[in-house]
Amino acid sequence: QVQLVESGGGLVQAGGSLRLSCAASGRTASMYAMNWNRQAPGKERDFVASISWNGGSTAYADSVKGRFTISRDTGKNTIYLEMNSLKPEDTAVYYCSASRAFRSSRYDYWGQGTQVTVSS
């Protein structure tokens, strides 16, 4: 079992920045690839970014490339999403998830989500 707890969401103006954190716990948490996904009101949950178990590989959705950065602190078992140049269309609930393989479409564990609201 892996437990994921997100934090860091909030309200920010367009052009601003936020950093989300996801604390992972559980005996095997460090062995999982980690992801950020988001779900806007009335829309499906979409992939945002992924990082391999050792942090050596990352991947991003086209909509966030160059603006968002995913990273992980293996010592703290924490994953981060640094979000810059935020746009109103980035408004969503952001979820942390764990996968057995990097860039897998299967998500084995989810956090509870954290709200990000970008005002215009």
Side-chain angles (χ1 to χ4, degrees):
Q1 282 285 347
V2 174
Q3 294 79 41
L4 304 172
V5 179
E6 302 97 332
S7 60
L11 173 64
V12 63
Q13 288 189 333
S17 299
L18 278 176
R19 189 177 80 157
L20 305 183
S21 300
C22 173
S25 60
R27 189 168 57 88
T28 60
S30 63
M31 298 171 62
Y32 282 77
M34 300 298 295
N35 318 286
W36 288 98
N37 306 76
R38 67 186 181 186
Q39 187 167 19
K43 296 188 177 181
E44 293 187 351
R45 193 172 298 188
D46 291 330
F47 167 78
V48 174
S50 182
I51 189 166
S52 59
W53 71 273
N54 64 354
S57 298
T58 58
Y60 298 91
D62 287 343
S63 59
V64 306
K65 276 181 184 176
R67 300 189 297 122
F68 291 11
T69 302
I70 188 171
S71 60
R72 70 191 297 168
D73 184 330
T74 53
K76 295 181 179 179
N77 258 353
T78 300
I79 297 87
Y80 303 98
L81 186 68
E82 186 75 36
M83 305 186 294
N84 298 314
S85 302
L86 283 162
K87 305 175 182 180
E89 51 263 43
D90 294 318
T91 295
V93 178
Y94 283 71
Y95 297 90
C96 177
S97 63
S99 302
R100 296 182 190 273
F102 175 60
R103 297 224 62 183
S104 170
S105 59
R106 174 178 169 174
Y107 302 104
D108 296 283
Y109 300 99
W110 291 95
Q112 83 288 352
T114 185
Q115 176 71 47
V116 171
T117 303
V118 184
S119 63
S120 57

